[in-house]
Amino acid sequence: MERYTARRDGKRGRRHAPFHVTVSLTISYLIVSGCGVTNPGNGVPFGRSGEIHVTVETPLHLGLGWLRQEIEWASGGGWTMYEEIGYRDVVGEQEGRRNPGLPLQYADNYSRVIQALDKDPNFQLAEVPPLELTECEGDNSRITLRIIDAPSAQNRVWVRCASGTLATLVTAGSGPDVDAAKVVQFVQMVRTQTVGTAFRSAYVGSLPFGTVAKGTDTGWDTHTTFVFRTPDEGDTKETQAAWDEFWREHNHGARTLPPGVDWETDMVLAGFLGVREEVGDSAEIRSVITIAAGTKVEWVERIPGDFCVPAHRIVRPFHIVFAPRAPAPVEFSEVRLDPVTCGT
């Protein structure tokens, strides 16, 4: 069983404070004066051989949750995109994807994006100050653009604020200065030339949530779901008693205390797939969406896909999360199969 106890940044494991907390930011900058974004002496555009990194950090539910999205794009064409959603300092779920096909298919796109820094006035960032913004006002996202130049081992970083997530960023209202629009437009171009204009977040429309427990070892053998939510005007003691009993069953009858939950503000959702017979099968709650008739919980069963030869073993995949207390009734959707390709 894997327990998540703190959100993690794009380095996949280094823990840090959540988005809405002010943190220090230390960056090494390449100082360029009067030469655009061209490496002095050789006329090669800065970053032509290197990487582009984009990070969009969006606060959710009054800053108690977050959605973090990243693109890392190398000059050879290969890119990866990573998403993370979390609530109250706890990671809920993570999702990644990479370039389809050969990386070389995206190498020309990378070159054109870098050339735009010199040629297109909408994207010229050489004279745009970096700014060390640690947070943005309201529900605006913090946008971080980093361009790394491999030959010089230097990097340039711009941080600005804008409305929207990676898929929906707009220049209107971006700030805190007029140059923010250039940074946002460049990030939009990077998004279009990698994940494409049809990109849709795995967590679009979801309330934030944090993982309480996830794994394949549980006392529940059947395909079932649970919702622990104190009824409107109800007594939290009854909900706590049901949560205590559930937790003992989940832990094979062990009398261990469950994680604490503030039933006045939060609820717990649990999905169990039942018995499976292959390593690699897992359950994932993907989104918690308020709808006109209440709240819908979408979850998936990740299964070994093409080119997989999973080992035979009895497993019982499950995922338990906590989220902001949402309108009743709270119902799980039918579980959706999500094949995971193992090779090429």
Side-chain angles (χ1 to χ4, degrees), residues 207 209 225-232 263 265-271 285 287-299 321-334:
L207 291 171
F209 57 91
T225 61
F226 295 87
V227 176
F228 297 94
R229 177 191 180 279
T230 299
D232 298 339
W263 300 113
T265 59
D266 296 337
M267 62 182 182
V268 172
L269 312 165
I285 291 175
S287 62
V288 182
I289 302 175
T290 57
I291 57 177
T295 303
K296 180 175 66 173
V297 182
E298 295 183 337
W299 64 317
V321 308
F322 73 110
R325 189 171 176 271
V330 181
E331 298 180 347
F332 277 71
S333 67
E334 292 293 325

Side-chain angles (χ1 to χ4, degrees), residues 13-254:
R14 188 174 57 199
R15 297 180 179 180
H16 61 82
F19 166 70
H20 59 277
V21 176
T22 301
V23 296
S24 63
L25 182 64
T26 304
I27 301 172
S28 173
Y29 300 100
L30 174 67
I31 306 300
V32 181
S33 178
C35 58
V37 284
T38 300
N39 282 314
N42 61 16
V44 177
F46 183 83
R48 176 63 186 85
S49 177
E51 297 180 4
I52 298 172
H53 292 186
V54 166
T55 303
V56 180
E57 296 169 289
T58 306
L60 302 176
H61 196 69
L62 303 177
L64 295 175
W66 72 90
L67 175 66
R68 180 186 177 97
Q69 300 167 297
E70 301 176 353
I71 294 176
E72 297 182 1
W73 192 11
S75 54
W79 57 262
T80 58
M81 201 286 298
Y82 169 79
E83 294 188 275
E84 174 186 281
I85 193 169
Y87 180 54
R88 295 190 185 275
D89 302 353
V90 182
V91 173
E93 196 50 78
Q94 302 162 328
E95 182 74 10
R97 65 185 78 176
R98 54 169 294 176
N99 53 276
L102 297 175
L104 285 176
Q105 296 174 354
Y106 294 88
D108 287 343
N109 291 356
Y110 181 98
S111 180
R112 284 194 293 268
V113 167
I114 289 295
Q115 289 290 345
L117 291 175
D118 272 334
K119 306 300 183 182
D120 192 327
N122 292 320
F123 305 116
Q124 291 176 358
L125 299 175
E127 304 303 324
V128 175
L131 300 185
E132 295 191 20
L133 298 175
T134 55
E135 58 184 6
C136 296
E137 294 183 354
D139 58 358
N140 282 339
S141 296
R142 187 176 69 162
I143 317 301
T144 303
L145 168 64
R146 182 189 302 267
I147 300 178
I148 301 170
D149 184 71
S152 66
Q154 301 278 1
N155 69 93
R156 298 198 70 192
V157 180
W158 297 269
V159 183
R160 293 298 190 276
C161 301
S163 176
T165 64
L166 178 63
T168 61
L169 281 178
V170 295
T171 57
S174 59
D177 56 13
V178 295
D179 291 322
K182 289 187 175 182
V183 177
V184 173
Q185 286 177 313
F186 191 86
V187 170
Q188 290 172 330
M189 182 167 58
V190 171
R191 177 197 63 199
T192 298
Q193 297 300 327
T194 52
V195 296
T197 56
F199 166 71
R200 185 176 185 269
S201 170
Y203 311 108
V204 62
S206 178
L207 291 171
F209 57 91
T211 290
V212 175
K214 179 182 179 182
T216 57
D217 180 19
T218 177
W220 295 99
D221 287 338
T222 59
H223 181 109
T224 187
T225 61
F226 295 87
V227 176
F228 297 94
R229 177 191 180 279
T230 299
D232 298 339
E233 309 302 329
D235 188 350
T236 62
K237 292 181 180 178
E238 184 176 342
T239 307
Q240 182 63 47
W243 174 233
D244 291 343
E245 182 179 354
F246 161 85
W247 193 255
R248 283 194 296 272
E249 292 291 333
H250 167 60
N251 286 281
H252 306 280

